[in-house]
Amino acid sequence: MDDTEVGYVPGPRALFGQAELRRMMHPRSVAVVGASETPGSFGRRTIENLDIGFPGRILPVNPRYREMFGRPCYASLEDLPEPPDCVILTVPREHVEPLIERAAAIGAGGVMLYSSGYAEVGRPERVAAQRRLAEIAARTGLRILGPNCAGIANLALPAGLTFMPKFFEMRRVCGPVGLVSQSGALGYVVLQAMERGIGFSHYLTAGNSCDVDVCDLVNYLVEEERTRVIACMLEGVRDGARLLAAAQAALRAGKPLVVYKLGGSEISRQTAMSHTGTLVGADEAYRAALRRAGAVIVDHWEEVLETATLFARAGGPRCPGVGVMAPSGGAAVMAADEAERVGLSLPPPQPQTSARLEAVIPEFGSSANPSDITAESVKDVTMYGTCIRAFAEDPGYGAVVVPMMSVHLPGAVERAHYMAKLAPELPVPLCVVWLNEWLQGPGSEIYDGCENLPTFRTMARCITALARWNAYHAGRAELLRDDAPAAAPPGAAATARAVLAAAPPGRTLGERLSKEVLAAYGIPVTREVLARDVEAAVAAARGIGFPVALKADSPDIPHKTEAGVIRLGIGDEAALRAAHAAILAAAARVPGARVEGVLVQQMARPGAEMMVGARLDAQFGPLITCGFGGVAVEVTRDVATALAPVGAREAGAMIASLRGHRLLTGYRNLPAADTGALAEIVGRLSRLACDLADEIEEIDVNPVILGPGGALAVDALVVRRAAAGAP
């Protein structure tokens, strides 16, 4: 499915930012077309939401009214006394197109479009209608937010350019977190954390994104001085390169980008298509792109706000260690469990810290890390301060975590005020975990509203967020440095293209030709001979030297083990003849399989079975994958994926991220594997995938035998891209 099929103007374009969007996002005048006094109507809701606090001019447009809510109402856009910075269309879909043309003609700064019923319904005529909106934007330069969007809120101005009900009654708190969401409702429920005292700079919704999309909104916030952290909830984008560019802009600006990506399952992808007309794409491709740009990826919606608030309130860590001070032994154990799960360091306190703790903690408590200061702390709030200061002033800790347990009056409120006063005096962030199921019990509003206290509702989310906080700050400088991918050997691309020409577009190359493509890029492959008959196979085995491996060479049998067309460790001529006959018989049972002959291969030395692969993603281009391979690769799923091409540093990091990485480092009596050789294969294959992205759809190299003496590609398949227009 291409851009035109989902209502976009095809082709790449640059990111929009402050220059293109500021009039619409930070307006001095707003025209509301379809403004109304009818209770519950979008036109009335928008006027009500604007009417509280907006310092600019509100210009209702509706020919049925002369006056509305005490201000003049205009019959048309042309009757307005000035070109509005922002036009909000609250009218039915049938009236939208001519109004957008007229808004462009009078010099409006931008249009926000609530109307739904466009590409998200999937009907060709509705997709075409959305595409016409995109064409108007491209032709006139008028920026369009929507259709099917909920508008925006600029809390710094302030301005509620949205139809969301009762926004004007909500407590409004301006803060450093900018919120971007494709789904207006999902973003709004996060925004309602303002009722708890948590502040935002902006709430920006994208909807169907016929023109302005999530990437533009992120980039706008990168350039917005009131925003320090960007929280983004997205379903998908049509241009992966633009998302990558926006995320990299945030990385360069030092503004953490916290992303929750919806649409990881097939059902959710279908739902997203019907929700905003968005092509969601492969989850691992989005994660690879966002990791490349240093985005902070969260796995659950509930993590978005707390993670973003941590980054906004905590600054950067002075070291990765975290101290935990709990008034309950159970809470201390809980913290230790979660830290082990995510790999967060909880180092023991230094001797002087232990001495300070032991001076106030009862003998039935614990001065370790996590510490248990016991329920005695309930009696004396200053005990919290003494112990927290001891942890915070220990150079081994970059943050301190304190779970809050029982909630009662007046003690809980007194303690909250004490902690809020203490937090800005500490050299490290103080994180509060509100463990009580009375989620908004007395004192909670003080923690939530304190700009120096990152607050969490579960221990798991707190510890996970701290691990991500450490990882972001530790990795940012590295991501900003160049990691140059390996260069291709001279003539590699031309050699590989000549080999690929042996297979028609859309078809798979057999193992022998696939390995020739790999070898052109310097990837080590097994020594082998294609034998057309059994006598040639015997001669080849004598030349290579027993033992050997025998395989059917067929582009139509990708999984040789399941088809029974592979034999390993053949030690003599008699065994070879028997294996040859058995392989041909098994191949004959595969319907329609073309068999080029039998490959006689050297037996690789024992080692770990790894895999390396590449495939072409519709949004992000070539992806490279490596991990543990063999026949169980789809069961173990211990792989890492990145955008291609990758440099040596990123390839090494991919291997180090594997769950089974310890098996490669000299585990027990096994010698350490040459992971550098595997990283080199990963880099070379990633370069191949990029150079031949117009020719190759997928590459599967499995297994790669990895041992202390290097890495060797034992089997491979290359799939050519289908011709343009072919299925």
Side-chain angles (χ1 to χ4, degrees):
M1 188 176 291
D2 63 22
D3 284 349
T4 60
E5 292 178 274
V6 287
Y8 308 121
V9 174
R13 69 164 174 81
L15 287 169
F16 298 143
Q18 289 278 331
E20 296 83 6
L21 302 179
R22 187 164 179 81
R23 283 186 69 194
M24 177 166 59
M25 300 293 187
H26 198 94
R28 291 170 296 181
S29 58
V30 178
V32 181
V33 180
S36 171
E37 293 183 347
T38 303
S41 67
F42 282 13
R44 176 167 180 151
R45 286 186 192 172
T46 301
I47 295 286
E48 289 174 334
N49 290 336
L50 271 170
D51 232 353
I52 305 298
F54 177 55
R57 292 173 294 283
I58 302 173
L59 307 169
V61 178
N62 191 325
R64 292 183 295 171
Y65 294 83
R66 298 282 300 276
E67 183 181 282
M68 186 176 295
F69 300 115
R71 57 174 58 88
C73 185
Y74 302 91
S76 69
L77 287 169
E78 290 78 6
D79 292 327
L80 294 174
E82 61 188 281
D85 288 327
C86 178
V87 175
I88 301 177
L89 298 184
T90 71
V91 299
R93 184 188 66 255
E94 295 78 11
H95 302 292
V96 164
E97 277 184 56
L99 284 168
I100 291 180
E101 293 276 16
R102 290 160 62 188
I106 66 169
V111 170
M112 294 184 190
L113 178 55
Y114 297 157
S115 307
S116 56
Y118 285 91
E120 78 275 11
V121 302
R123 289 161 53 181
E125 69 275 15
R126 301 293 181 83
V127 172
Q130 179 169 313
R131 186 166 61 252
R132 288 195 297 273
L133 301 183
E135 289 166 350
I136 294 171
R139 170 169 46 83
T140 65
L142 178 73
R143 301 281 64 88
I144 302 174
L145 187 65
N148 190 28
C149 83
I152 74 163
N154 181 334
L155 282 309
L157 189 54
L161 309 166
T162 177
F163 65 80
M164 296 305 283
K166 302 294 184 179
F167 173 80
F168 66 93
E169 292 183 353
M170 194 193 310
R171 179 183 178 189
R172 283 173 295 164
V173 184
C174 185
V177 176
L179 181 62
V180 175
S181 179
Q182 269 176 308
S183 166
L186 197 60
Y188 195 70
V189 296
V190 176
L191 183 69
Q192 286 184 292
M194 289 194 297
E195 297 284 15
R196 290 164 43 199
I198 296 172
F200 297 85
S201 67
H202 297 77
Y203 155 73
L204 309 178
T205 73
N208 288 19
S209 306
C210 75
D211 179 43
V212 178
D213 65 6
V214 165
C215 310
D216 301 310
L217 297 179
V218 168
N219 193 54
Y220 177 83
L221 292 178
V222 169
E223 300 173 358
E224 172 56 57
E225 63 180 12
R226 292 292 190 100
T227 303
R228 294 204 307 268
V229 176
I230 303 166
C232 178
M233 296 177 287
L234 76 149
E235 296 162 23
V237 297
R238 63 183 181 267
D239 185 344
R242 296 179 70 253
L243 178 63
L244 185 63
Q248 288 173 330
L251 183 72
R252 289 191 299 270
K255 294 189 177 185
L257 173 62
V258 178
V259 178
Y260 172 52
K261 168 68 173 64
L262 297 82
S265 68
E266 184 57 39
I267 292 176
S268 65
R269 283 192 282 271
Q270 294 171 5
T271 304
M273 187 64 193
S274 64
H275 175 220
T276 60
T278 300
L279 291 172
V280 171
D283 191 58
E284 70 266 25
Y286 277 89
R287 286 178 174 265
L290 292 167
R291 281 194 301 269
R292 170 71 60 83
V296 181
I297 305 169
V298 299
D299 299 320
H300 305 285
W301 172 81
E302 295 85 354
E303 297 177 278
V304 172
L305 178 61
E306 291 177 345
T307 304
T309 303
L310 169 67
F311 277 86
R313 295 180 175 182
R318 70 182 181 190
C319 65
V322 172
V324 179
M325 189 213 79
S328 155
V333 173
M334 184 190 300
D337 285 345
E338 294 299 336
E340 184 172 344
R341 178 180 62 83
V342 299
L344 184 70
S345 173
L346 302 181
Q350 298 204 1
Q352 62 270 30
T353 305
S354 295
R356 293 173 67 181
L357 295 171
E358 289 166 1
V360 294
I361 296 175
E363 62 178 7
F364 49 88
S366 169
S367 61
N369 183 31
S371 73
D372 173 12
I373 66 172
T374 78
E376 290 293 307
S377 59
V378 177
K379 301 177 183 177
D380 180 9
V381 70
T382 62
M383 184 178 177
Y384 271 80
T386 301
C387 295
I388 290 170
R389 286 186 186 277
F391 272 105
E393 292 166 8
D394 187 319
Y397 300 125
V400 179
V401 174
V402 179
M404 288 297 149
M405 310 296 290
S406 61
V407 175
H408 56 278
L409 287 172
V413 173
E414 292 172 353
R415 185 167 59 239
H417 281 300
Y418 180 85
M419 299 277 281
K421 183 179 178 182
L422 174 66
E425 300 173 359
L426 301 175
V428 299
L430 175 59
C431 300
V432 169
V433 184
W434 185 270
L435 286 182
N436 199 289
E437 282 298 322
W438 188 0
L439 296 179
Q440 289 183 268
S444 64
E445 74 285 356
I446 298 168
Y447 295 121
D448 284 331
C450 178
E451 63 182 19
N452 300 111
L453 277 173
T455 303
F456 300 83
R457 289 300 192 270
T458 74
M459 184 67 77
R461 295 206 295 264
C462 175
I463 298 297
T464 302
L466 283 168
R468 290 175 175 143
W469 177 65
N470 278 336
Y472 170 85
H473 287 286
R476 179 172 176 263
E478 189 116 317
L479 286 168
L480 290 172
R481 285 199 296 270
D482 187 40
D483 183 23
T495 301
R497 288 182 189 278
V499 177
L500 288 167
R507 298 301 294 268
T508 302
L509 275 68
E511 178 180 341
R512 178 178 60 88
L513 293 178
S514 296
K515 286 180 178 174
E516 288 184 17
V517 173
L518 302 186
Y521 275 76
I523 296 171
V525 299
T526 49
R527 181 186 173 196
E528 60 192 32
V529 176
L530 178 65
R532 305 288 184 183
D533 55 45
V534 68
E535 297 304 327
V538 170
R542 289 172 180 160
I544 293 172
F546 288 101
V548 294
L550 245 58
K551 305 175 185 177
D553 187 28
S554 170
D556 304 312
I557 308 177
H559 302 296
K560 298 181 179 67
T561 301
E562 290 88 332
V565 295
I566 179 173
R567 297 291 188 276
L568 303 177
I570 299 170
D572 55 43
E573 184 176 322
L576 185 145
R577 291 179 182 277
H580 187 277
I583 286 171
L584 291 182
R589 292 192 290 270
V590 178
R594 295 161 295 158
V595 179
E596 304 293 336
V598 173
L599 288 173
V600 182
Q601 294 179 353
Q602 71 177 104
M603 284 294 298
R605 293 180 178 178
E609 290 193 343
M610 310 301 292
M611 65 80 59
V612 182
R615 70 174 182 81
L616 202 60
D617 182 80
Q619 274 97 1
F620 295 97
L623 302 176
I624 185 75
T625 298
C626 74
F628 284 85
V631 296
V633 62
E634 293 177 0
V635 176
T636 59
R637 293 187 176 274
D638 189 5
V639 297
T641 301
L643 299 187
V646 298
R649 184 181 70 236
E650 189 172 4
M654 291 171 69
I655 297 166
S657 73
L658 300 174
R659 296 192 307 274
H661 177 252
R662 283 183 60 202
L663 296 173
L664 307 177
T665 60
Y667 184 70
R668 292 193 172 180
N669 294 328
L670 296 174
D674 185 359
T675 54
L678 180 61
E680 187 170 347
I681 289 179
V682 172
R684 289 178 180 275
L685 191 73
S686 75
R687 170 52 64 194
L688 188 165
C690 288
D691 289 351
L692 303 178
D694 61 326
E695 288 266 15
I696 293 177
E697 183 74 27
E698 189 173 348
I699 305 171
D700 184 22
V701 188
N702 182 24
V704 174
I705 302 300
L706 178 63
L712 187 68
V714 171
D715 203 344
L717 284 178
V718 173
V719 181
R720 284 199 67 188
R721 288 190 68 174

